[in-house]
Structure formats: C-alpha cells, structure tokens
Amino acid sequence: MSMNTAKLSRLKPGQFVIYACLAFFVCFYGIPLLWLGIASTRSQQSLLTESPFALGSLSTFLQTWTNISSYNDFKLMSWVWNSVIYSVGGVGLSLVAAIPAGYVLGVYNFPGRKLILVLTLIAMITPSSAMVLPIFLEMNLIGLNNSYLGLILATGFFPFGVYLAYIYYATSMPRAILESAQIDGCSRIGLFFHIALPLAKPIVALIAFFSFLANWSNYFLALVLLSDDRLYSLPVGLTSLISSSGALNSGMAGNTIPIKLPEAIMASIFITLPVMLIFLISQRFVRSGTLAGAEKG
Amino acid sequence: MKQAVQLRNVRKTYGDVEVIKQVSLSIDEGEFIAFVGPSGSGKSTLLRMVAGLESVTDGEILIDGKDVTFAEPSDRGIAMVFQSYALYPHMNVYDNIAFNLKLSRHSKSEIEKRVNEAARILRLEELLQRSPGQLSGGQRQRVAIGRAIVRNPRVFLFDEPLSNLDAALRVQMRLEIGRLHAELGATMIYVTHDQVEAMTLADRIVVLNNCEIQQIGKPMELYQRPRNKFVASFIGSPNMNFFPAQVSRSDATSSTLKLADATLDAALANRAMGESITLGVRPEAVVVLADRSDAAGGVVIEGKVVGVERLGNVNYAYFDVGQSEPVTAQIAGTTDLGVGDTALLGIDPARCHYFDGAGEALRVGN
Amino acid sequence: MMSQPVLLDRDKMKRAHRRREIFASYLFIAPYLVLLLMFGVFPVCYALGLSFTDAIEGGFYGLNNYASAIQDFRVPRAARNVGGYVVIWVLLTIVGVTVVTLMLDAINKRAANVLRTVFFLPGAVTSSAVVVLWLFLLDPTVSPFQGLYHLFGWENRINVLSGVGFAGVFAVMAFFAHSGGWIVVLSGAVAGLPGEVIEAARIDGANRWQLATRIKVPMLWRTIVLMGILAVASGLQIFVEPQLMSLVGPSAAQPDWSINQLAYQYAFAVGDFGVSAALSTVVLAISITIALLLIFCTKFYHTN
Ligand SMILES: Nc1ncnc2c1ncn2[C@@H]1O[C@H](COP(=O)(O)OP(=O)(O)OP(=O)(O)O)[C@@H](O)[C@H]1O
Ligand SMILES: [Mg+2]
C-alpha cells in the first residue's frame, strides 16, 4: 500500500515528461519504418488518397513486384547482384587487410608503427565522402574507374576495421597466451593462424558487419566511380530508376514506365531489408561490439 | 654435477634503463631454484630471458651447455607456466596440452599417450574434454603445468604460478609442485613473491633487488646467514628488527657497541671507533623479560606495547622503543601483554646479526 | 682479448634477428599498407597536386584553381549552406542524443533496451534510401506525418521544404539515420560510469535531475565532445541528401547546395578536375585538421 503510493507520487511530473519525450522519439524513429513496410502493399491511388496507414492488399503487392521484376529485364536484380559482388568483395578484402594489420599494430613494435597508426586514425576520422573525389581522380588516372575491381579495392580500405582489430589485440589479447604458444613452437605465421585469428572471431564478425554496412549503402563513391548502368550498385541503380521514371516527381506526368510510388517504395525496401535483417539478428552482439569499439574512442 | 642452466654476465636494458645488471648464475641439473625479490626487482625479466621471450642485451645464456642466447623460445628445451595460466581459450584441455606435440608433428598415438600420462600425473583425466572457461583456478593451473610436462622439457620455468589462487588452494598446489619436482626430477626455476613458497620448495633461493643478485643460497642459509641487510629484512616474516649502534671500543676479539640506551659486547674484531653498525635481531630472538636480572648478560631495552597479534600458534607483540620502526617480538601465548603496557626486552648478542654502514653483513667471531 | 670478434658476431645476430621480426611485421601489414597508400595517402597528395595544375591545358597553375573556385558565386553560398546545416545537425545530435540517453537511463532496463533497438534500427536504412524515404515523409499527400503538416498549412512538398528550410530537413534526415548509433555508444558510456560515484551522489541527496546534470553529463563530457566533433567532420561532407533532392523534380533540386556537390559538378559537368581538386582539397584539409586536433590535442585516441 505504502509502496504503491510511493510509486504513484514518483510518477508525477518528472516521470511523465520522460515518458512523453521517449514516446515522441519512438514515433520519430518507428513510424517511418512502419509506414515503409505497410506502404509496399498499397497502390499508387491508395498512397495518394487514403490515410497514411491504410493497409493494401496482397494482389497489389504482387502487381508491384511484377512491375519491378519485368521492368527492363529485371534490371534491379542485376543491380542486387552487383551490390552483392561489391559488398562481398569489399568485406573480404577489408578483412584480409585489416585483421593482420590490427594484429601486428597491436602486438608488435616495429619502425613505422606510430606513423601507420596515426595515418589510420586520420583516415578513420576523416569522413569517407571527403575522399570520394580524390579517389575518383586517382582512379581516372590509373584507369580503374567503371570496373568491379576499382570499387572493391577502394572499399577494401577500411581504417575503422584496422582500428577495431588494433584495439582488440592491444587490450584484450593476453600477451601470455601468445608467448605460451611461442614457447610451444608456433612460428610468427602459425601464431596468427592458430591463436590470434581464432581468438578474434567476434571482432572479425564485427568488422565484417560494419564493413558490409558501409559497402552495401555506399552511394557517393559508387555514383562517382560507376558510369555504366550495367555496373551500378543497388543504391545508385535505385536512384537512377526513380529519377528516370519520375516516380516521385508529381510534375512529371504521363510517362509510360511502370515505376510509380509503390515500386519506388518496394525498391527502397529491397535495399534496406538485408541490412535490417542482419541488424536485427545480430543487434545484441553488434551493440556490445559498437561499445567495445567505442570504449577507447 | 652437470649444469642445466648457466647465466654469464647477463645484462638487460630498456633504452637507458638498466633492469638487470651483470647477473651470473649456474643451476644444476634437477635443482629447484626460486627467484625472490620485491616487485620490480627483475625476477620476471630474468626468467623471460631464460625463456627467450626477452632479448639479452649482454652476456650469454646456456642451457645444457649449449649457447641459446639467440635461440627461439621453442628451441631451448624449456617449458613455461604463466601467472595467468595462458590457456588457449578456444581449445579444450586435451588440445591445450597437446598443442605443442601437434606443432612438432608427433604421431597421434604418441600424443595421446603423452597427454594421458600428463593428465594422470596431474589428475586431470576427467577434465580433458572441458574448455578452459569451465575449470576452476586450481584446475587451470594444473592444465598449464600439464602443458609444460608433455614437452619433457629440460627446464621448467614458473612465473608466480600460484599468485592468482586463494590461500588454501595455494598450499595444496605448492605441495603438488613439490611432488611433481620429486617425481620428474627436472630442473625448475620458480619466480615468486611468497617466501613460504620459496623456502619450502627451493633447493636454492636467488634473492634479487635493484636489478642485482643479492645472495644465492639454501633457504636456511639465507635465513641464518644473510649476506646483507636487504636479504636479512626480506627473508623471514615478520621482518627482522634493526637497531642503530656505534662502536665505542674494539680489539682483536670483540667490540662494544653503544645503542640508544644500552651497550652490548659483540664478537666483532677490529672495528673502527665510532663506526655506525646496524644490529639485526629476528623477532624470535627478542625475549620479553619478567625482570632485568633475567637478561643473562644480554641487552635490555624498555618498550611500550603498541600492538599485539595473536595468531594462535604464534603471537607477536609490537613495541615502541623510541625508534621510528616498532620492534617485533615473538611472545608465548601465556604472556599477558596489552596495548600501553611497558615491558623489558632482552636481546642475546649471540643471536644478533651485524651490518656495516653499507649494509654488508659482518662476520661474527674469528 | 677475444671480445672484439664475439661482439661483432653478437651485433650481427641481434640485427639479423631484429630484421627478421620487422620483415614478418611488414609481411602481415603489407595488404593494408598498400590500400592505405593507394586510397589514403596517394589520393590526398594527388588531389593536392591537381589543385595546382591547369587541368584543361596542363602545366602548373599556381593558386588559380582556388581563385576561380572562390570567384564562383555558388561557392560562398554553398559554404553558408553547409555551415548552417552543420550548426543545426551538431546541436540536434548533441542535445538529442544526450537527452534521450539520459532518459533511457532513467527508465526500466528492459524497456530501455527495446527502445534503444528501435532507435538504432533506422541506422540500417542505407543513406540513399533514407533520403528516398524522407522524400515520401515530407510529402503531405502521402506522409504519415501529414496531420502535422496540415497544422502548419503546408499542402505540398515544396511548402514543407521551404517551411522547415533545407538545412533543417537534411539535419533531420541525418539525425534519423545516425543518432541511434550514438545513443547506443553514449548509453555504453553511461553504463560504464562508476556505480559508486552515482551512489555517493544519491546519498549526498542528488535527485534524478541533479544526478543527470551535475554528475552524469560532466562525467560523459569527453564522449559528448567527441560525438560533436565527429558530427562536425561528417556534416561538412554532406552530399547525398541535397543531391537526391533532384528526384522530386527540378523545383526542389539542389545540385549546388554543398561544397562536395560543387566539387562533383566541376569534375562531372564541367570537366575541370583542377577546380574540383581545389574544392576537395579545402574540404579534406578541414577534415584532416579536425582529425589531427582530435588525435594530438585530446587524449581521445591513445596510440599505446
Ligand atoms: N618493456 C619494458 N620497458 C621498460 N621497463 C620495463 C619493461 N618491462 C619491465 N620493465 C622494468 O623492469 C623492471 C623489472 O621488471 P620485472 O617484471 O622483471 O619485475 P618483477 O621482479 O617480475 O616484479 P613483479 O614481482 O612485480 O612481477 C621493472 O622496474 C620494470 O619497470
Ligand atoms: Mg613479475
């Protein structure tokens, strides 16, 4: 009884403000996502005239899907494949480069280590979009623009991954385990593959996750490096699709391309879904990993 | 006897900082050697140089007569047990123990035989399939030792292997390490903070301080004949009591020393008049007297009790005698003393240690 | 004495050993080093070099590229745009993230975890998709927020855009996508605060509000400042949001709203890589200066 009153009196103004505020933020972050999910089932007509959360129907959803998949020989699918190639390539390369680099930087001392660390930090803090045009100019020089290889190489450079691996090896890798393995007869290479790499599994997954996220959503660099629409990644393809069909442009009426609002929405979901799924599946682990990475920062 | 490990004028510097100054040491085969010393005295550094984990700035290290100063750790025929156990967390106990054998490409049956043998010696048979995370501290330490045993090393190196364990387990593991040494008869070098471990396990103890060896000797030798004031105070618990004194008379057989308010005749020959000498007395040599006449030719000092610790089997009393440090005496359980009481303390000159101004022990008698 | 040859031998062995170690280290780091040089060091130097070159005719061009950039009337306007955007976006981030984090800390742990996931989720929406999504959300005819817009009397997207202002709209988009991650990071910092200090403050009689403002915020200050600085650095680079405004037609298109867009225009529409490189260099120089300040003037990043 006294507990109850105590609870009640505590829920007075302060608590109320907190809950109201948080409710506002839930709406701010949640409603757009919810709307996006529902909107893919609705028709152009319904989107424009009915209430924002009206449910559509399965048949409309399928019609929208048909429109997308039949457009231009399902070009969207080829962009999905391109995105997969870019992302897998970029993630693979960034792992191959970042894990051994972070390991060596974290565990060994060698001339040039400080310089490499500082350059890595600078590259990590500098937003990647600042580097886009310089990288384009360079690629133009060596003729690697407009190729799978060019974009994969450029996204394989992932200083944040090196930083994460470096922090992990420098702080969480017990030195005695490495020494013990050395006494057990591991060579420098063996030490990495037998001990350092298996122990770093969580950090490898974390780097892969962040690298995938960065690559899958890479827009600016892909836009600048790729001019052939057969090489487009999904984000670049999506915007070119929307832009050429004028789906969002109410002033551009009367074209015959069947790409309208519902199709644009479904294509956006296309881009978002893989990342969202991975996010949800691994969110606990990613959150703790984000923290681990941020702790030092 | 054959020498298992020899250090010849070994030095170690980190940049300009010298952490080991000119250490020479020979260890016999089968010997159990303990390194003791205060924190930062270079015990681990010395051990790690023997292991090959730390480079040697100067001098040579020989194992079984072979110069291994520049050899890889795995080529030295040593095994090491770390304070933190350093088990490989992604391998189970069996694989942890077998890791070295697998790397050196032993046959499967040979590996199994040796792992099982080690597991038997360390009573780990039941735990072989567990991962290190599922073991208790003592079990982990046994696995770490098992990992060392399977290699049949010529020298075992231990760096404070028991300091992460609780007191009871530490006693148990201490006994096990002793048993292991007896069973394997291998050469062992053991770094520890804990004098009890050093005194009970070691054949010889190496006392390190200030990057230098202070004394090497059998445990009781260190206790009874410390070579300098540092060893005298470091070995033995509670610490030795020290009293400043001055030579007031000296001839070819004895000297008279003047303490704060007493004098004492010591068997020190030919000291300079007025020389400062430090008198060292172990707590068990300080006797609480009922009466001044009980002194029997010794020195009597008056002190005020500042603390009494009764541990049951032994009891200690701490006295303020007008020096900065209180004087410790081991007292009988029946002695009735309380804080604030005054008492007479008797010191027998024959049980005293004497140190000159530089802290070096002085020879008593002739 | 025989010490001379022994010494030489010893030195040789030591050096050989050290050389082997260094070689092994560089073997491991080589792939990354190649990428670092190729996509970190070289592009910066190359852009810097290009910015002093006459890209059309070739040859050294002095500061002419920079001069023509400054003379372009769009450049100061873009700089003002970006400046305004950065101010709004950084304030929004610092205040919003801090407030939400402290509020989450004040409620039931389970609920806070669920909410944090909800807030984190928009981070999964790709940057370009965020803009597309917001183009819907800003359209009063389809938006779930249309009630709000009607309240202000905004009937179409242009009304909304001019009502809120481009800088504000872009800042909201960026906040929507990026704040969740920072909320998680700052929550981690809150969880990492020493519990005993908080308890001591409570015993000293601090209520929740005082606890948050007098104890927690000062102790989180470093993380908050770091967040602000990184927000400035990324805000200066704004590109995707204004660039994609063209999707809704020429009336809302903003092809030269930010500096990065102008650099892009110079490279792609004009074909003058020199001016493009000059603009990029300026933007990069600011970013690198911020990075260097972060690394050397604060102890945010220990390198050891
Ligand atoms: N990498 C290093 N750089 C500089 N000095 C070092 C380094 N490693 C150790 N030292 C110094 O060498 C000295 C000896 O260290 P060592 O670890 O051998 O001490 P220890 O006797 O094992 O101490 P403890 O009992 O605390 O383990 C210390 O003063 C230490 O500060
Ligand atoms: Mg040590």
Side-chain angles (χ1 to χ4, degrees):
Chain A
M1 171 59 218
S2 63
M3 272 263 297
N4 267 340
T5 43
K7 249 188 193 159
L8 270 179
S9 64
R10 244 194 296 147
L11 203 132
K12 278 282 162 68
Q15 210 75 337
F16 178 76
V17 170
I18 289 180
Y19 284 126
C21 236
L22 288 177
F24 167 80
F25 277 101
V26 169
C27 295
F28 173 72
Y29 292 106
I31 286 183
L33 297 181
L34 192 66
W35 177 84
L36 190 66
I38 294 175
S40 63
T41 64
R42 297 166 61 193
S43 66
Q44 173 95 354
Q45 195 56 35
S46 150
L47 281 168
L48 290 175
T49 53
E50 290 177 47
S51 98
F53 288 106
L55 275 178
S57 65
L58 187 63
S59 61
T60 329
F61 180 81
L62 292 177
Q63 179 58 45
T64 310
W65 172 252
T66 318
N67 286 347
I68 285 195
S69 51
S70 59
Y71 170 69
N72 217 346
D73 295 335
F74 208 1
K75 188 131 227 171
L76 199 72
M77 210 42 174
S78 73
W79 291 335
V80 169
W81 278 121
N82 284 345
S83 260
V84 170
I85 292 172
Y86 292 130
S87 300
V88 170
V91 170
L93 183 59
S94 61
L95 285 179
V96 167
I99 307 285
Y103 165 68
V104 168
L105 289 171
V107 174
Y108 295 104
N109 207 351
F110 53 94
R113 170 176 174 272
K114 260 257 152 72
L115 179 68
I116 295 176
L117 271 177
V118 169
L119 286 177
T120 301
L121 289 179
I122 294 175
M124 179 183 120
I125 298 171
T126 306
S128 56
S129 44
M131 293 296 296
V132 166
L133 284 166
I135 287 176
F136 163 74
L137 297 173
E138 174 193 13
M139 291 297 207
N140 209 31
L141 180 74
I142 58 180
L144 269 180
N145 54 350
N146 231 351
S147 72
Y148 285 106
L149 184 64
L151 188 56
I152 289 176
L153 280 179
T155 52
F157 173 57
F158 192 49
F160 180 55
V162 175
Y163 177 74
L164 282 180
Y166 157 71
I167 289 294
Y168 175 77
Y169 281 116
T171 61
S172 321
M173 181 88 208
R175 214 43 71 93
I177 290 186
L178 293 174
E179 292 175 342
S180 192
Q182 212 182 329
I183 291 178
D184 272 341
C186 271
S187 63
R188 286 284 289 254
I189 309 252
L191 211 54
F192 178 73
F193 285 105
H194 284 302
I195 309 292
L197 191 58
L199 283 184
K201 265 186 204 148
I203 212 76
V204 172
L206 192 68
I207 295 173
F209 175 82
F210 282 124
S211 168
F212 176 78
L213 198 63
N215 290 343
W216 185 263
S217 37
N218 193 340
Y219 177 76
F220 193 9
L221 186 65
L223 174 73
V224 167
L225 286 189
L226 308 171
S227 48
D228 182 346
D229 73 350
R230 280 168 309 176
L231 291 178
Y232 278 180
S233 68
L234 194 50
V236 177
L238 168 77
T239 51
S240 91
L241 179 72
I242 294 177
S243 145
S244 63
S245 70
L248 266 63
N249 182 357
S250 36
M252 190 167 147
N255 76 41
T256 49
I257 304 175
I259 300 298
K260 301 247 157 28
L261 290 184
E263 287 78 15
I265 287 168
M266 192 179 279
S268 304
I269 292 180
F270 240 72
I271 299 193
T272 306
L273 213 56
V275 191
M276 191 80 84
L277 283 180
I278 296 181
F279 240 59
L280 281 174
I281 292 167
S282 55
Q283 57 118 342
R284 164 152 303 170
F285 140 86
V286 166
R287 276 207 330 232
S288 60
T290 312
L291 291 182
E295 241 159 44
K296 269 268 153 159
Chain B
M1 195 178 263
K2 228 179 125 199
Q3 321 245 266
V5 181
Q6 281 170 280
L7 307 186
R8 292 194 187 144
N9 298 319
V10 169
R11 271 181 68 232
K12 171 79 186 171
T13 56
Y14 286 112
D16 295 337
V17 190
E18 193 165 35
V19 296
I20 297 288
K21 299 180 190 156
Q22 293 276 346
V23 164
S24 296
L25 172 69
S26 307
I27 299 171
D28 292 334
E29 207 164 88
E31 208 178 5
F32 194 120
I33 291 278
F35 290 176
V36 299
S39 193
S41 56
K43 309 181 290 289
S44 301
T45 309
L46 204 53
L47 190 76
R48 292 163 57 82
M49 286 198 287
V50 175
L53 295 171
E54 213 71 75
S55 67
V56 179
T57 311
D58 233 327
E60 286 114 55
I61 295 179
L62 285 75
I63 294 180
D64 267 358
K66 218 176 82 203
D67 187 339
V68 294
T69 315
F70 295 99
E72 288 293 318
S74 50
D75 302 336
R76 296 184 176 211
I78 50 111
M80 185 157 170
V81 176
F82 292 82
Q83 175 177 358
S84 57
Y85 322 131
L87 300 183
Y88 310 123
H90 55 300
M91 304 180 191
N92 67 18
V93 170
Y94 183 93
D95 291 334
N96 258 284
I97 298 179
F99 187 56
N100 164 260
L101 301 175
K102 281 183 182 162
L103 286 179
S104 44
R105 304 195 191 288
H106 283 74
S107 74
K108 241 193 151 124
S109 55
E110 167 77 5
I111 293 177
E112 201 166 322
K113 206 183 95 210
R114 277 161 77 170
V115 173
N116 285 335
E117 170 67 8
R120 185 192 59 73
I121 295 175
L122 294 164
R123 290 180 233 123
L124 285 170
E125 288 105 329
E126 314 289 302
L127 306 175
L128 285 175
Q129 297 311 318
R130 297 241 193 122
S131 80
Q134 301 166 321
L135 301 179
S136 73
Q139 291 168 334
R140 277 179 220 189
Q141 194 51 274
R142 291 218 295 274
V143 176
I145 296 173
R147 216 166 50 176
I149 290 179
V150 286
R151 316 186 47 182
N152 278 331
R154 274 164 292 184
V155 185
F156 281 89
L157 306 175
F158 295 90
D159 193 353
E160 310 202 20
L162 306 186
S163 55
N164 280 358
L165 303 179
D166 69 45
L169 204 52
R170 210 180 299 177
V171 174
Q172 189 193 334
M173 285 303 295
R174 195 172 77 209
L175 292 172
E176 276 197 51
I177 290 178
R179 178 177 67 86
L180 199 70
H181 180 234
E183 194 170 332
L184 301 175
T187 312
M188 296 186 170
I189 307 181
Y190 189 103
V191 168
T192 180
H193 261 116
D194 182 348
Q195 336 183 351
V196 181
E197 280 170 27
M199 300 289 278
T200 53
L201 288 172
D203 297 320
R204 283 192 301 156
I205 295 178
V206 176
V207 182
L208 286 159
N209 188 36
N210 281 337
C211 331
E212 278 181 309
I213 294 185
Q214 301 292 326
Q215 189 169 1
I216 308 175
K218 297 200 166 60
M220 286 326 278
E221 200 176 303
L222 295 188
Y223 189 78
Q224 285 158 352
R225 286 194 297 284
R227 223 172 59 192
N228 57 34
K229 206 175 141 186
F230 173 79
V231 177
S233 68
F234 191 76
I235 302 285
S237 167
N239 290 354
M240 187 182 267
N241 299 300
F242 293 105
F243 301 95
Q246 238 139 37
V247 178
S248 63
R249 179 202 65 82
S250 185
D251 59 30
T253 56
S254 71
S255 310
T256 305
L257 303 183
K258 213 170 95 48
L259 276 70
D261 42 24
T263 56
L264 147 151
D265 283 322
L268 295 170
N270 296 328
R271 305 311 304 179
M273 280 293 290
E275 184 188 351
S276 306
I277 287 205
T278 306
L279 203 65
V281 192
R282 296 221 179 262
E284 64 266 28
V286 178
V287 190
V288 178
L289 303 172
D291 198 289
R292 234 171 229 284
S293 59
D294 290 350
V299 182
V300 178
I301 299 172
E302 207 176 278
K304 193 164 146 197
V305 178
V306 291
V308 180
E309 286 177 353
R310 295 190 186 276
L311 306 178
N313 55 343
V314 280
N315 305 285
Y316 297 104
Y318 300 91
F319 299 91
D320 179 10
V321 298
Q323 308 185 159
S324 56
E325 296 285 311
V327 170
T328 313
Q330 188 176 329
I331 58 174
T334 51
T335 312
D336 181 27
L337 277 178
V339 173
D341 296 352
T342 47
L344 296 175
L345 304 174
I347 295 168
D348 177 359
R351 297 179 72 186
C352 283
H353 302 263
Y354 303 95
F355 305 96
D356 66 13
E360 294 300 316
L362 298 173
R363 282 179 64 89
V364 181
N366 29 26
Chain C
M1 267 175 54
M2 51 161 275
S3 73
Q4 202 52 28
V6 170
L7 254 180
L8 271 179
D9 217 35
R10 186 188 183 89
D11 271 6
K12 226 188 250 163
M13 284 180 86
K14 250 190 199 165
R15 247 180 279 140
H17 190 83
R18 182 86 188 118
R19 255 204 312 275
R20 270 203 308 278
E21 281 197 342
I22 293 171
F23 177 76
S25 295
Y26 271 94
L27 200 67
F28 274 101
I29 211 170
Y32 173 65
L33 207 56
V34 169
L35 291 174
L36 176 66
L37 292 176
M38 214 171 141
F39 299 106
V41 177
F42 181 79
V44 174
C45 300
Y46 183 56
L48 187 67
L50 262 190
S51 73
F52 296 115
T53 311
D54 184 345
I56 318 273
E57 316 247 301
F60 184 70
Y61 208 33
L63 288 172
N64 285 344
N65 285 324
Y66 291 90
S68 35
I70 291 175
Q71 275 153 21
D72 184 338
F73 71 98
R74 297 172 303 176
V75 170
R77 194 183 61 193
R80 270 198 307 279
N81 287 341
V82 172
Y85 162 75
V86 167
V87 170
I88 300 176
W89 146 243
V90 170
L91 285 180
L92 206 58
T93 301
I94 288 187
V95 176
V97 169
T98 309
V99 167
V100 172
T101 304
L102 291 175
M103 285 181 168
L104 286 176
D105 188 44
I107 65 170
N108 169 306
K109 275 216 164 55
R110 271 247 182 95
N113 269 337
V114 174
L115 289 188
R116 234 171 263 134
T117 307
V118 173
F119 298 169
F120 196 40
L121 220 43
V125 186
T126 347
S127 60
S128 49
V130 165
V131 182
V132 173
L133 174 59
W134 273 89
L135 290 176
F136 288 116
L137 299 176
L138 291 170
D139 184 351
T141 50
V142 295
S143 173
F145 299 131
Q146 53 188 239
L148 200 65
Y149 300 143
H150 293 320
L151 223 61
F152 287 95
W154 296 329
E155 294 307 328
N156 57 43
R157 194 151 33 204
I158 302 297
N159 290 158
V160 179
L161 288 173
S162 54
V164 181
F166 280 101
V169 168
F170 300 151
V172 169
M173 288 180 186
F175 184 79
F176 173 75
H178 300 301
S179 53
W182 276 112
I183 290 174
V184 171
V185 169
L186 201 61
S187 294
V190 171
L193 291 179
E196 288 175 2
V197 173
I198 308 289
E199 280 162 10
R202 278 176 50 190
I203 291 168
D204 279 344
N207 61 31
R208 278 168 196 237
W209 170 248
Q210 291 164 326
L211 209 58
T213 55
R214 306 259 185 92
I215 308 291
K216 289 180 186 167
V217 169
M219 288 175 80
L220 295 172
W221 193 234
R222 280 159 62 98
T223 312
I224 295 174
V225 170
L226 172 72
M227 174 173 81
I229 293 174
L230 290 181
V232 171
S234 70
L236 291 173
Q237 304 297 334
I238 181 170
F239 176 81
V240 183
E241 289 88 350
Q243 184 72 12
L244 291 185
M245 278 295 140
S246 64
L247 288 183
V248 294
S251 54
Q254 300 292 323
D256 43 22
W257 196 84
S258 78
I259 304 276
N260 257 340
Q261 281 181 290
L262 283 173
Y264 174 77
Q265 289 250 321
Y266 268 105
F268 284 84
V270 186
D272 188 342
F273 290 172
V275 179
S276 177
L279 285 169
S280 297
T281 303
V282 171
V283 175
L284 248 179
I286 299 174
S287 286
I288 293 179
T289 309
I290 291 176
L292 287 174
L293 282 178
L294 252 189
I295 295 169
F296 290 110
C297 293
T298 71
K299 293 240 161 102
F300 280 125
Y301 293 93
H302 289 282
T303 50
N304 238 331

